[in-house]
Amino acid sequence: MIELRLGDFHSGWQDINPGSVDLILADPPYNVSGFDRMQSTKWDTELNWQRLEDIFSTLLKKDGQLLLFCDVHLFVKLYTAFGEKLVFRHHQIWQK
């Protein structure tokens, strides 16, 4: 059975059974307003990536995948923040 969920992850992840998720696909805030105050938005805020690594690793199946869209600045943060429970296997660059 396939179940797709769309919504705010922070308000719904507690309803998901641990170890039951095949894929987490997300386009999180890039925190670009931290670099350019002219683009400041309320939703584009820094996330606690260490906490999210704990949550993601709890929800994902052993062979589950996490796919995050990000810019180069966020990639560096993710690469630094993740590593205790999640391992980077691939990175892809979408050259526009």
Side-chain angles (χ1 to χ4, degrees):
M1 179 175 127
I2 295 175
E3 180 181 347
L4 299 176
R5 293 182 182 224
L6 173 65
D8 183 3
F9 179 78
H10 295 285
S11 63
W13 73 266
Q14 296 93 344
D15 299 332
I16 302 172
N17 293 328
S20 67
V21 176
D22 291 304
L23 173 68
I24 296 174
L25 174 66
D27 190 4
Y30 295 6
N31 194 30
V32 294
S33 59
F35 297 105
D36 184 356
R37 297 290 174 208
M38 299 301 290
Q39 294 182 351
S40 182
T41 59
K42 291 182 181 181
W43 58 265
D44 189 28
T45 59
E46 183 75 27
L47 299 176
N48 183 339
W49 291 108
Q50 287 84 12
R51 174 73 178 125
L52 286 171
E53 180 185 31
D54 290 338
I55 295 169
F56 293 156
S57 63
T58 299
L59 295 178
L60 286 169
K61 292 180 178 179
K62 185 173 179 140
D63 59 347
Q65 300 289 314
L66 171 64
L67 179 60
L68 299 174
F69 295 95
C70 65
D71 66 359
V72 67
H73 301 288
L74 181 55
F75 175 76
V76 171
K77 288 181 184 182
L78 292 172
Y79 199 81
T80 304
F82 289 179
E84 288 194 25
K85 298 179 180 178
L86 297 173
V87 177
F88 277 89
R89 294 188 199 159
H90 309 283
H91 70 275
Q92 297 175 339
I93 298 173
W94 180 2
Q95 192 71 33
K96 292 183 180 182

